Amino acid sequence: MALTGDGRLVDDKFVDGCRRVTILGATGSIGTSTLDLLRRNPDGYAVEALTAHSDWQGLAALAREFRAAYVAIGDERHYQPLQQALSGTGIEVGAGAGALVEAAKRPADWVMAAIVGAAGLEPTLAAIERGVVVALANKEVLVCAGDLVLTAVKRSGATLLPVDSEHNAIFQVFDFAQVGAIEKIILTASGGPFRAASRAQMAQMGPAQAVAHPNWSMGAKISVDSATMMNKGLELIEAHHLFQLPQEKIDIVVHPQSVIHSLVAYTDGSVLAQLGSPDMRTPIAFTLAWPARMASPSPRLDLAKLATLTFEEPDPIRFPSLRLTREALAAGGSAPTTLNAANEVAVQAFLENRIGFLEIAEIVERTLETLPNEVPESIAHIHICDRRARDAAMAFIDRPSVGQRAY
Ligand code: NAD
Ligand code: MG
């Protein structure tokens, strides 16, 4: 099994008994869906640690409900109220970046990495270094430091299970014993809320329209990434690392219904796909129960009712993020780190109404053009590249020339 650090396919200790789980990013969309599944399976899982960034009330309520042993709040300003809210419960409380890493180091045998952005890198790595099962939703971790993360997986013997619906689909139909027989993988993309919009129409779109995804209910950042199609570009890089394939073997096809979650094409002409309703509880349940299966309440597919599934070529002219991510992956080195950091900064600025929709990709492109490409040799080096890209992107946001580029 390629994603298992030491080549294990099945580890018996995960089949029976109660799993201790930790959720990094427990208050978010993925975290909430994970907890929904745990709530339905109270005998199968016990919660070790939960984390959140600023929603200390939500975190306190979850900690009490699931009787967590430890909670960590990223924003240290919320330490006091969180601690007060949990006083007398015996639940340990931590705050700040170190506490997020501490949560990941706690003795869980399954960790959900569902923080958004590069902020999840250190906690996710801490979980990986413990050699346990890590369910990875936080794709930015692989985009910004894929080679180093995969090296850590191999070194520790951790099992990395993809949560992202496309990668989870591929994982389910990818024959790891016959990688040579795999011609290519095909990532499906919904096309997002602006799939049929012209560039002129996109220029008028604000945060409310961009986060209104037609099929999926998700956090704000990934929703904007879906609207720019940067999400699919990040997923291309994620797939490259997870399945160890060159980008020439990774295709993207727009499939507006989000029913086929992705496909693997074999040399004999067979194409295997995984289908399901667009509900993240299906891929999360796959990772929670792995290598077994568990029940999920996701709506069932009614193929006759669906009647039609459609497919389109992606358009890299209207969605320059698709081109930028392919270029960054081809350039290698720190280019994906730079792309990811600049995108995080630009998406945040867009959500704050400081830049227009089309300027997101433009800022990413300018940042990539401006900064030197280096080969990141350590996580500390990744942080330097990430910081530099954030600073450069912020400078472009504050500069009035943004918005002048024609695509
Ligand atoms: P979200 O915004 O709903 O939740 C993010 C979580 O991370 C929250 O618990 C938040 O408190 C925490 N967080 C945010 N910033 C943080 C920081 N700086 N430090 C520590 N914690 C922080 O996001 P989401 O939609 O749940 O997505 C989480 C990750 O999963 C993202 O990487 C996203 O790309 C990926 N993903 C999400 C979906 C989906 O359907 N939501 C699907 C596939 C992949
Ligand atoms: Mg996805």
Side-chain angles (χ1 to χ4, degrees), residues 24-31 51-55 74 100 113-117 119 137-140 163-165 216-222 231 235 280:
L24 308 170
T27 53
S29 170
I30 293 288
T51 82
H53 182 57
S54 55
D55 179 8
L100 300 176
I115 290 173
V116 59
N138 190 179
K139 66 192 85 184
E140 295 91 347
V163 172
D164 214 350
S165 58
W216 300 93
S217 157
M218 310 182 286
K221 193 261 178 183
I222 184 175
N231 184 49
E235 290 183 357
M280 287 306 292

PDB file of all heavy atoms in Angstrom, residues 24-31 51-55 74 100 113-117 119 137-140 163-165 216-222 231 235 280, ligand 1:
ATOM      1  N   LEU A  24      -8.033  17.835  14.646  1.00  0.00           N
ATOM      2  CA  LEU A  24      -7.394  19.144  14.505  1.00  0.00           C
ATOM      3  C   LEU A  24      -8.304  19.969  13.603  1.00  0.00           C
ATOM      4  O   LEU A  24      -8.522  19.600  12.449  1.00  0.00           O
ATOM      5  CB  LEU A  24      -6.004  18.990  13.878  1.00  0.00           C
ATOM      6  CG  LEU A  24      -5.067  17.979  14.546  1.00  0.00           C
ATOM      7  CD1 LEU A  24      -3.809  17.745  13.698  1.00  0.00           C
ATOM      8  CD2 LEU A  24      -4.675  18.466  15.944  1.00  0.00           C
ATOM      9  N   GLY A  25      -8.873  21.049  14.127  1.00  0.00           N
ATOM     10  CA  GLY A  25      -9.855  21.806  13.349  1.00  0.00           C
ATOM     11  C   GLY A  25     -11.260  21.277  13.592  1.00  0.00           C
ATOM     12  O   GLY A  25     -12.055  21.111  12.661  1.00  0.00           O
ATOM     13  N   ALA A  26     -11.581  21.020  14.873  1.00  0.00           N
ATOM     14  CA  ALA A  26     -12.835  20.335  15.223  1.00  0.00           C
ATOM     15  C   ALA A  26     -14.084  21.175  14.965  1.00  0.00           C
ATOM     16  O   ALA A  26     -15.168  20.634  14.771  1.00  0.00           O
ATOM     17  CB  ALA A  26     -12.796  19.923  16.695  1.00  0.00           C
ATOM     18  N   THR A  27     -13.946  22.510  14.973  1.00  0.00           N
ATOM     19  CA  THR A  27     -15.128  23.365  14.842  1.00  0.00           C
ATOM     20  C   THR A  27     -15.460  23.693  13.385  1.00  0.00           C
ATOM     21  O   THR A  27     -16.453  24.361  13.118  1.00  0.00           O
ATOM     22  CB  THR A  27     -14.916  24.690  15.609  1.00  0.00           C
ATOM     23  OG1 THR A  27     -13.675  25.261  15.162  1.00  0.00           O
ATOM     24  CG2 THR A  27     -14.860  24.463  17.112  1.00  0.00           C
ATOM     25  N   GLY A  28     -14.630  23.257  12.454  1.00  0.00           N
ATOM     26  CA  GLY A  28     -14.864  23.584  11.043  1.00  0.00           C
ATOM     27  C   GLY A  28     -15.831  22.627  10.371  1.00  0.00           C
ATOM     28  O   GLY A  28     -16.446  21.772  11.021  1.00  0.00           O
ATOM     29  N   SER A  29     -15.956  22.799   9.069  1.00  0.00           N
ATOM     30  CA  SER A  29     -16.883  21.990   8.292  1.00  0.00           C
ATOM     31  C   SER A  29     -16.505  20.504   8.348  1.00  0.00           C
ATOM     32  O   SER A  29     -17.339  19.643   8.661  1.00  0.00           O
ATOM     33  CB  SER A  29     -16.880  22.512   6.848  1.00  0.00           C
ATOM     34  OG  SER A  29     -17.553  21.655   6.013  1.00  0.00           O
ATOM     35  N   ILE A  30     -15.235  20.185   8.099  1.00  0.00           N
ATOM     36  CA  ILE A  30     -14.788  18.775   8.151  1.00  0.00           C
ATOM     37  C   ILE A  30     -14.822  18.263   9.587  1.00  0.00           C
ATOM     38  O   ILE A  30     -15.272  17.137   9.851  1.00  0.00           O
ATOM     39  CB  ILE A  30     -13.360  18.653   7.563  1.00  0.00           C
ATOM     40  CG1 ILE A  30     -13.382  18.949   6.057  1.00  0.00           C
ATOM     41  CG2 ILE A  30     -12.758  17.276   7.856  1.00  0.00           C
ATOM     42  CD1 ILE A  30     -14.015  17.896   5.200  1.00  0.00           C
ATOM     43  N   GLY A  31     -14.378  19.093  10.524  1.00  0.00           N
ATOM     44  CA  GLY A  31     -14.386  18.691  11.933  1.00  0.00           C
ATOM     45  C   GLY A  31     -15.794  18.355  12.394  1.00  0.00           C
ATOM     46  O   GLY A  31     -16.034  17.330  13.052  1.00  0.00           O
ATOM     47  N   THR A  51      -9.175  20.648  18.612  1.00  0.00           N
ATOM     48  CA  THR A  51      -8.596  21.997  18.501  1.00  0.00           C
ATOM     49  C   THR A  51      -9.514  22.902  17.673  1.00  0.00           C
ATOM     50  O   THR A  51     -10.315  22.434  16.877  1.00  0.00           O
ATOM     51  CB  THR A  51      -7.200  22.007  17.830  1.00  0.00           C
ATOM     52  OG1 THR A  51      -7.360  21.981  16.388  1.00  0.00           O
ATOM     53  CG2 THR A  51      -6.330  20.856  18.275  1.00  0.00           C
ATOM     54  N   ALA A  52      -9.347  24.208  17.903  1.00  0.00           N
ATOM     55  CA  ALA A  52     -10.030  25.227  17.096  1.00  0.00           C
ATOM     56  C   ALA A  52      -9.143  26.466  17.088  1.00  0.00           C
ATOM     57  O   ALA A  52      -8.195  26.560  17.874  1.00  0.00           O
ATOM     58  CB  ALA A  52     -11.393  25.562  17.697  1.00  0.00           C
ATOM     59  N   HIS A  53      -9.473  27.398  16.210  1.00  0.00           N
ATOM     60  CA  HIS A  53      -8.661  28.614  16.157  1.00  0.00           C
ATOM     61  C   HIS A  53      -9.183  29.687  17.109  1.00  0.00           C
ATOM     62  O   HIS A  53      -8.476  30.153  17.986  1.00  0.00           O
ATOM     63  CB  HIS A  53      -8.622  29.158  14.726  1.00  0.00           C
ATOM     64  CG  HIS A  53      -7.762  30.366  14.596  1.00  0.00           C
ATOM     65  ND1 HIS A  53      -6.442  30.360  14.955  1.00  0.00           N
ATOM     66  CD2 HIS A  53      -8.031  31.621  14.171  1.00  0.00           C
ATOM     67  CE1 HIS A  53      -5.919  31.563  14.755  1.00  0.00           C
ATOM     68  NE2 HIS A  53      -6.874  32.344  14.281  1.00  0.00           N
ATOM     69  N   SER A  54     -10.463  30.066  16.964  1.00  0.00           N
ATOM     70  CA  SER A  54     -10.981  31.152  17.799  1.00  0.00           C
ATOM     71  C   SER A  54     -12.338  30.858  18.436  1.00  0.00           C
ATOM     72  O   SER A  54     -12.717  31.510  19.406  1.00  0.00           O
ATOM     73  CB  SER A  54     -11.072  32.441  16.970  1.00  0.00           C
ATOM     74  OG  SER A  54     -11.840  32.190  15.819  1.00  0.00           O
ATOM     75  N   ASP A  55     -13.073  29.883  17.924  1.00  0.00           N
ATOM     76  CA  ASP A  55     -14.410  29.600  18.444  1.00  0.00           C
ATOM     77  C   ASP A  55     -14.307  28.799  19.756  1.00  0.00           C
ATOM     78  O   ASP A  55     -14.542  27.592  19.807  1.00  0.00           O
ATOM     79  CB  ASP A  55     -15.209  28.817  17.384  1.00  0.00           C
ATOM     80  CG  ASP A  55     -16.611  28.456  17.858  1.00  0.00           C
ATOM     81  OD1 ASP A  55     -17.032  28.930  18.942  1.00  0.00           O
ATOM     82  OD2 ASP A  55     -17.283  27.670  17.157  1.00  0.00           O
ATOM     83  N   GLY A  74      -6.154  27.890  19.113  1.00  0.00           N
ATOM     84  CA  GLY A  74      -5.003  28.492  18.434  1.00  0.00           C
ATOM     85  C   GLY A  74      -4.746  29.923  18.879  1.00  0.00           C
ATOM     86  O   GLY A  74      -3.609  30.317  19.134  1.00  0.00           O
ATOM     87  N   LEU A 100      -1.478  23.394  19.750  1.00  0.00           N
ATOM     88  CA  LEU A 100      -2.019  22.630  18.616  1.00  0.00           C
ATOM     89  C   LEU A 100      -1.131  21.413  18.351  1.00  0.00           C
ATOM     90  O   LEU A 100      -1.614  20.315  18.072  1.00  0.00           O
ATOM     91  CB  LEU A 100      -2.089  23.504  17.352  1.00  0.00           C
ATOM     92  CG  LEU A 100      -2.961  24.759  17.427  1.00  0.00           C
ATOM     93  CD1 LEU A 100      -2.850  25.556  16.136  1.00  0.00           C
ATOM     94  CD2 LEU A 100      -4.424  24.401  17.691  1.00  0.00           C
ATOM     95  N   ALA A 113      -6.709  15.620  10.308  1.00  0.00           N
ATOM     96  CA  ALA A 113      -6.028  16.890  10.051  1.00  0.00           C
ATOM     97  C   ALA A 113      -6.979  17.759   9.244  1.00  0.00           C
ATOM     98  O   ALA A 113      -7.090  17.614   8.030  1.00  0.00           O
ATOM     99  CB  ALA A 113      -4.727  16.659   9.289  1.00  0.00           C
ATOM    100  N   ALA A 114      -7.719  18.644   9.933  1.00  0.00           N
ATOM    101  CA  ALA A 114      -8.744  19.450   9.258  1.00  0.00           C
ATOM    102  C   ALA A 114      -8.646  20.928   9.614  1.00  0.00           C
ATOM    103  O   ALA A 114      -9.637  21.646   9.631  1.00  0.00           O
ATOM    104  CB  ALA A 114     -10.142  18.912   9.568  1.00  0.00           C
ATOM    105  N   ILE A 115      -7.405  21.359   9.906  1.00  0.00           N
ATOM    106  CA  ILE A 115      -7.168  22.803  10.021  1.00  0.00           C
ATOM    107  C   ILE A 115      -7.129  23.328   8.582  1.00  0.00           C
ATOM    108  O   ILE A 115      -6.797  22.585   7.654  1.00  0.00           O
ATOM    109  CB  ILE A 115      -5.845  23.059  10.781  1.00  0.00           C
ATOM    110  CG1 ILE A 115      -6.035  22.677  12.264  1.00  0.00           C
ATOM    111  CG2 ILE A 115      -5.359  24.490  10.632  1.00  0.00           C
ATOM    112  CD1 ILE A 115      -4.772  22.723  13.102  1.00  0.00           C
ATOM    113  N   VAL A 116      -7.454  24.583   8.373  1.00  0.00           N
ATOM    114  CA  VAL A 116      -7.375  25.129   7.014  1.00  0.00           C
ATOM    115  C   VAL A 116      -6.055  25.887   6.855  1.00  0.00           C
ATOM    116  O   VAL A 116      -5.639  26.631   7.751  1.00  0.00           O
ATOM    117  CB  VAL A 116      -8.609  26.013   6.687  1.00  0.00           C
ATOM    118  CG1 VAL A 116      -8.772  27.174   7.637  1.00  0.00           C
ATOM    119  CG2 VAL A 116      -8.549  26.512   5.237  1.00  0.00           C
ATOM    120  N   GLY A 117      -5.383  25.630   5.725  1.00  0.00           N
ATOM    121  CA  GLY A 117      -4.178  26.382   5.383  1.00  0.00           C
ATOM    122  C   GLY A 117      -2.893  25.815   5.947  1.00  0.00           C
ATOM    123  O   GLY A 117      -2.885  24.797   6.653  1.00  0.00           O
ATOM    124  N   ALA A 119      -1.266  26.747   8.292  1.00  0.00           N
ATOM    125  CA  ALA A 119      -1.265  26.740   9.770  1.00  0.00           C
ATOM    126  C   ALA A 119      -1.364  25.311  10.304  1.00  0.00           C
ATOM    127  O   ALA A 119      -1.005  25.049  11.445  1.00  0.00           O
ATOM    128  CB  ALA A 119      -2.426  27.580  10.304  1.00  0.00           C
ATOM    129  N   ALA A 137      -7.413  16.055   5.523  1.00  0.00           N
ATOM    130  CA  ALA A 137      -8.287  16.949   4.754  1.00  0.00           C
ATOM    131  C   ALA A 137      -7.510  18.196   4.351  1.00  0.00           C
ATOM    132  O   ALA A 137      -7.727  18.767   3.282  1.00  0.00           O
ATOM    133  CB  ALA A 137      -9.497  17.340   5.595  1.00  0.00           C
ATOM    134  N   ASN A 138      -6.600  18.586   5.214  1.00  0.00           N
ATOM    135  CA  ASN A 138      -5.836  19.846   5.114  1.00  0.00           C
ATOM    136  C   ASN A 138      -4.840  19.784   3.944  1.00  0.00           C
ATOM    137  O   ASN A 138      -3.643  19.611   4.115  1.00  0.00           O
ATOM    138  CB  ASN A 138      -5.099  20.017   6.463  1.00  0.00           C
ATOM    139  CG  ASN A 138      -4.443  21.355   6.677  1.00  0.00           C
ATOM    140  OD1 ASN A 138      -3.850  21.573   7.732  1.00  0.00           O
ATOM    141  ND2 ASN A 138      -4.500  22.246   5.698  1.00  0.00           N
ATOM    142  N   LYS A 139      -5.370  19.940   2.706  1.00  0.00           N
ATOM    143  CA  LYS A 139      -4.539  19.739   1.510  1.00  0.00           C
ATOM    144  C   LYS A 139      -3.376  20.710   1.420  1.00  0.00           C
ATOM    145  O   LYS A 139      -2.340  20.403   0.816  1.00  0.00           O
ATOM    146  CB  LYS A 139      -5.414  19.824   0.257  1.00  0.00           C
ATOM    147  CG  LYS A 139      -6.018  21.185  -0.013  1.00  0.00           C
ATOM    148  CD  LYS A 139      -7.097  21.110  -1.088  1.00  0.00           C
ATOM    149  CE  LYS A 139      -8.431  20.732  -0.494  1.00  0.00           C
ATOM    150  NZ  LYS A 139      -9.514  20.539  -1.457  1.00  0.00           N
ATOM    151  N   GLU A 140      -3.525  21.915   2.028  1.00  0.00           N
ATOM    152  CA  GLU A 140      -2.448  22.906   1.937  1.00  0.00           C
ATOM    153  C   GLU A 140      -1.145  22.378   2.535  1.00  0.00           C
ATOM    154  O   GLU A 140      -0.053  22.813   2.151  1.00  0.00           O
ATOM    155  CB  GLU A 140      -2.857  24.210   2.637  1.00  0.00           C
ATOM    156  CG  GLU A 140      -4.034  24.939   1.979  1.00  0.00           C
ATOM    157  CD  GLU A 140      -5.393  24.532   2.558  1.00  0.00           C
ATOM    158  OE1 GLU A 140      -5.458  23.515   3.296  1.00  0.00           O
ATOM    159  OE2 GLU A 140      -6.392  25.225   2.286  1.00  0.00           O
ATOM    160  N   VAL A 163      -8.785  12.440   2.754  1.00  0.00           N
ATOM    161  CA  VAL A 163     -10.181  12.773   3.049  1.00  0.00           C
ATOM    162  C   VAL A 163     -10.805  13.538   1.887  1.00  0.00           C
ATOM    163  O   VAL A 163     -11.987  13.381   1.587  1.00  0.00           O
ATOM    164  CB  VAL A 163     -10.270  13.613   4.348  1.00  0.00           C
ATOM    165  CG1 VAL A 163     -11.686  14.143   4.573  1.00  0.00           C
ATOM    166  CG2 VAL A 163      -9.813  12.790   5.546  1.00  0.00           C
ATOM    167  N   ASP A 164     -10.014  14.368   1.245  1.00  0.00           N
ATOM    168  CA  ASP A 164     -10.500  15.142   0.102  1.00  0.00           C
ATOM    169  C   ASP A 164     -11.257  14.175  -0.815  1.00  0.00           C
ATOM    170  O   ASP A 164     -10.744  13.096  -1.141  1.00  0.00           O
ATOM    171  CB  ASP A 164      -9.288  15.750  -0.622  1.00  0.00           C
ATOM    172  CG  ASP A 164      -9.597  17.101  -1.222  1.00  0.00           C
ATOM    173  OD1 ASP A 164     -10.783  17.480  -1.251  1.00  0.00           O
ATOM    174  OD2 ASP A 164      -8.645  17.779  -1.655  1.00  0.00           O
ATOM    175  N   SER A 165     -12.476  14.524  -1.216  1.00  0.00           N
ATOM    176  CA  SER A 165     -13.349  13.534  -1.862  1.00  0.00           C
ATOM    177  C   SER A 165     -12.712  12.916  -3.107  1.00  0.00           C
ATOM    178  O   SER A 165     -12.856  11.711  -3.350  1.00  0.00           O
ATOM    179  CB  SER A 165     -14.697  14.164  -2.197  1.00  0.00           C
ATOM    180  OG  SER A 165     -14.514  15.278  -3.034  1.00  0.00           O
ATOM    181  N   TRP A 216     -21.495  21.614  -2.623  1.00  0.00           N
ATOM    182  CA  TRP A 216     -20.871  21.276  -1.348  1.00  0.00           C
ATOM    183  C   TRP A 216     -21.038  22.413  -0.351  1.00  0.00           C
ATOM    184  O   TRP A 216     -20.958  23.577  -0.712  1.00  0.00           O
ATOM    185  CB  TRP A 216     -19.371  21.032  -1.532  1.00  0.00           C
ATOM    186  CG  TRP A 216     -18.976  19.924  -2.452  1.00  0.00           C
ATOM    187  CD1 TRP A 216     -18.690  20.036  -3.788  1.00  0.00           C
ATOM    188  CD2 TRP A 216     -18.774  18.539  -2.126  1.00  0.00           C
ATOM    189  NE1 TRP A 216     -18.330  18.804  -4.293  1.00  0.00           N
ATOM    190  CE2 TRP A 216     -18.377  17.872  -3.297  1.00  0.00           C
ATOM    191  CE3 TRP A 216     -18.896  17.807  -0.933  1.00  0.00           C
ATOM    192  CZ2 TRP A 216     -18.095  16.506  -3.322  1.00  0.00           C
ATOM    193  CZ3 TRP A 216     -18.613  16.449  -0.969  1.00  0.00           C
ATOM    194  CH2 TRP A 216     -18.223  15.805  -2.158  1.00  0.00           C
ATOM    195  N   SER A 217     -21.197  22.055   0.922  1.00  0.00           N
ATOM    196  CA  SER A 217     -21.203  23.048   1.996  1.00  0.00           C
ATOM    197  C   SER A 217     -19.850  22.957   2.691  1.00  0.00           C
ATOM    198  O   SER A 217     -19.518  21.932   3.281  1.00  0.00           O
ATOM    199  CB  SER A 217     -22.354  22.718   2.945  1.00  0.00           C
ATOM    200  OG  SER A 217     -22.093  23.271   4.200  1.00  0.00           O
ATOM    201  N   MET A 218     -19.039  24.025   2.625  1.00  0.00           N
ATOM    202  CA  MET A 218     -17.644  23.951   3.086  1.00  0.00           C
ATOM    203  C   MET A 218     -17.257  25.260   3.752  1.00  0.00           C
ATOM    204  O   MET A 218     -17.980  26.243   3.724  1.00  0.00           O
ATOM    205  CB  MET A 218     -16.714  23.725   1.887  1.00  0.00           C
ATOM    206  CG  MET A 218     -17.116  22.587   0.971  1.00  0.00           C
ATOM    207  SD  MET A 218     -15.978  22.322  -0.399  1.00  0.00           S
ATOM    208  CE  MET A 218     -16.356  23.714  -1.468  1.00  0.00           C
ATOM    209  N   GLY A 219     -16.042  25.277   4.343  1.00  0.00           N
ATOM    210  CA  GLY A 219     -15.510  26.496   4.934  1.00  0.00           C
ATOM    211  C   GLY A 219     -15.294  27.570   3.877  1.00  0.00           C
ATOM    212  O   GLY A 219     -15.280  27.289   2.672  1.00  0.00           O
ATOM    213  N   ALA A 220     -15.135  28.831   4.333  1.00  0.00           N
ATOM    214  CA  ALA A 220     -15.061  29.972   3.406  1.00  0.00           C
ATOM    215  C   ALA A 220     -13.865  29.887   2.464  1.00  0.00           C
ATOM    216  O   ALA A 220     -13.975  30.142   1.262  1.00  0.00           O
ATOM    217  CB  ALA A 220     -15.014  31.276   4.202  1.00  0.00           C
ATOM    218  N   LYS A 221     -12.704  29.496   2.997  1.00  0.00           N
ATOM    219  CA  LYS A 221     -11.494  29.521   2.166  1.00  0.00           C
ATOM    220  C   LYS A 221     -11.594  28.524   1.008  1.00  0.00           C
ATOM    221  O   LYS A 221     -11.352  28.868  -0.147  1.00  0.00           O
ATOM    222  CB  LYS A 221     -10.271  29.244   3.050  1.00  0.00           C
ATOM    223  CG  LYS A 221      -8.934  29.557   2.375  1.00  0.00           C
ATOM    224  CD  LYS A 221      -8.255  28.345   1.800  1.00  0.00           C
ATOM    225  CE  LYS A 221      -6.953  28.670   1.097  1.00  0.00           C
ATOM    226  NZ  LYS A 221      -6.356  27.474   0.498  1.00  0.00           N
ATOM    227  N   ILE A 222     -11.965  27.289   1.305  1.00  0.00           N
ATOM    228  CA  ILE A 222     -12.055  26.286   0.231  1.00  0.00           C
ATOM    229  C   ILE A 222     -13.198  26.632  -0.724  1.00  0.00           C
ATOM    230  O   ILE A 222     -13.125  26.338  -1.921  1.00  0.00           O
ATOM    231  CB  ILE A 222     -12.179  24.841   0.774  1.00  0.00           C
ATOM    232  CG1 ILE A 222     -12.169  23.825  -0.373  1.00  0.00           C
ATOM    233  CG2 ILE A 222     -13.357  24.641   1.667  1.00  0.00           C
ATOM    234  CD1 ILE A 222     -12.175  22.375   0.056  1.00  0.00           C
ATOM    235  N   ASN A 231      -8.800  25.472  -5.991  1.00  0.00           N
ATOM    236  CA  ASN A 231      -8.968  24.228  -5.241  1.00  0.00           C
ATOM    237  C   ASN A 231      -8.541  23.029  -6.083  1.00  0.00           C
ATOM    238  O   ASN A 231      -7.857  22.136  -5.597  1.00  0.00           O
ATOM    239  CB  ASN A 231     -10.416  24.087  -4.779  1.00  0.00           C
ATOM    240  CG  ASN A 231     -10.611  22.842  -3.912  1.00  0.00           C
ATOM    241  OD1 ASN A 231      -9.865  22.608  -2.986  1.00  0.00           O
ATOM    242  ND2 ASN A 231     -11.599  22.034  -4.249  1.00  0.00           N
ATOM    243  N   GLU A 235      -5.478  20.508  -5.523  1.00  0.00           N
ATOM    244  CA  GLU A 235      -5.721  19.058  -5.496  1.00  0.00           C
ATOM    245  C   GLU A 235      -4.830  18.309  -6.483  1.00  0.00           C
ATOM    246  O   GLU A 235      -4.490  17.142  -6.267  1.00  0.00           O
ATOM    247  CB  GLU A 235      -7.200  18.775  -5.780  1.00  0.00           C
ATOM    248  CG  GLU A 235      -8.072  19.228  -4.619  1.00  0.00           C
ATOM    249  CD  GLU A 235      -9.549  18.919  -4.781  1.00  0.00           C
ATOM    250  OE1 GLU A 235      -9.939  18.391  -5.846  1.00  0.00           O
ATOM    251  OE2 GLU A 235     -10.308  19.198  -3.854  1.00  0.00           O
ATOM    252  N   MET A 280     -19.414  15.032   2.567  1.00  0.00           N
ATOM    253  CA  MET A 280     -18.076  14.655   3.030  1.00  0.00           C
ATOM    254  C   MET A 280     -18.103  13.556   4.082  1.00  0.00           C
ATOM    255  O   MET A 280     -17.072  12.979   4.406  1.00  0.00           O
ATOM    256  CB  MET A 280     -17.334  15.884   3.569  1.00  0.00           C
ATOM    257  CG  MET A 280     -16.870  16.851   2.502  1.00  0.00           C
ATOM    258  SD  MET A 280     -15.864  16.085   1.198  1.00  0.00           S
ATOM    259  CE  MET A 280     -14.379  15.645   2.096  1.00  0.00           C
TER     260      MET A 280
HETATM  261  P1  NAD B   1     -13.299  25.525   8.035  1.00  0.00           P
HETATM  262  O1  NAD B   1     -12.887  26.924   7.826  1.00  0.00           O
HETATM  263  O2  NAD B   1     -14.738  25.197   8.103  1.00  0.00           O
HETATM  264  O3  NAD B   1     -12.614  24.960   9.383  1.00  0.00           O
HETATM  265  C1  NAD B   1     -11.259  25.148   9.646  1.00  0.00           C
HETATM  266  C2  NAD B   1     -10.892  24.642  11.035  1.00  0.00           C
HETATM  267  O4  NAD B   1      -9.517  24.979  11.267  1.00  0.00           O
HETATM  268  C3  NAD B   1     -11.691  25.283  12.163  1.00  0.00           C
HETATM  269  O5  NAD B   1     -11.831  24.375  13.217  1.00  0.00           O
HETATM  270  C4  NAD B   1     -10.808  26.448  12.599  1.00  0.00           C
HETATM  271  O6  NAD B   1     -11.004  26.802  13.957  1.00  0.00           O
HETATM  272  C5  NAD B   1      -9.423  25.884  12.374  1.00  0.00           C
HETATM  273  N1  NAD B   1      -8.443  26.911  12.018  1.00  0.00           N
HETATM  274  C6  NAD B   1      -8.587  27.908  11.110  1.00  0.00           C
HETATM  275  N2  NAD B   1      -7.485  28.665  11.057  1.00  0.00           N
HETATM  276  C7  NAD B   1      -6.617  28.144  11.952  1.00  0.00           C
HETATM  277  C8  NAD B   1      -5.310  28.502  12.375  1.00  0.00           C
HETATM  278  N3  NAD B   1      -4.667  29.562  11.861  1.00  0.00           N
HETATM  279  N4  NAD B   1      -4.724  27.752  13.335  1.00  0.00           N
HETATM  280  C9  NAD B   1      -5.367  26.686  13.871  1.00  0.00           C
HETATM  281  N5  NAD B   1      -6.602  26.304  13.512  1.00  0.00           N
HETATM  282  C10 NAD B   1      -7.218  27.017  12.559  1.00  0.00           C
HETATM  283  O7  NAD B   1     -12.579  24.670   6.901  1.00  0.00           O
HETATM  284  P2  NAD B   1     -13.034  23.274   6.288  1.00  0.00           P
HETATM  285  O8  NAD B   1     -13.951  23.515   5.145  1.00  0.00           O
HETATM  286  O9  NAD B   1     -13.439  22.349   7.364  1.00  0.00           O
HETATM  287  O10 NAD B   1     -11.662  22.782   5.637  1.00  0.00           O
HETATM  288  C11 NAD B   1     -10.609  22.280   6.426  1.00  0.00           C
HETATM  289  C12 NAD B   1      -9.547  21.678   5.490  1.00  0.00           C
HETATM  290  O11 NAD B   1     -10.131  20.562   4.812  1.00  0.00           O
HETATM  291  C13 NAD B   1      -9.080  22.651   4.414  1.00  0.00           C
HETATM  292  O12 NAD B   1      -7.718  22.430   4.160  1.00  0.00           O
HETATM  293  C14 NAD B   1      -9.899  22.265   3.194  1.00  0.00           C
HETATM  294  O13 NAD B   1      -9.239  22.517   1.981  1.00  0.00           O
HETATM  295  C15 NAD B   1     -10.028  20.754   3.415  1.00  0.00           C
HETATM  296  N6  NAD B   1     -11.214  20.177   2.766  1.00  0.00           N
HETATM  297  C16 NAD B   1     -12.456  20.586   3.130  1.00  0.00           C
HETATM  298  C17 NAD B   1     -13.576  20.055   2.499  1.00  0.00           C
HETATM  299  C18 NAD B   1     -14.973  20.456   2.904  1.00  0.00           C
HETATM  300  O14 NAD B   1     -15.932  19.914   2.387  1.00  0.00           O
HETATM  301  N7  NAD B   1     -15.147  21.389   3.824  1.00  0.00           N
HETATM  302  C19 NAD B   1     -13.408  19.097   1.483  1.00  0.00           C
HETATM  303  C20 NAD B   1     -12.127  18.704   1.142  1.00  0.00           C
HETATM  304  C21 NAD B   1     -11.026  19.231   1.784  1.00  0.00           C
END
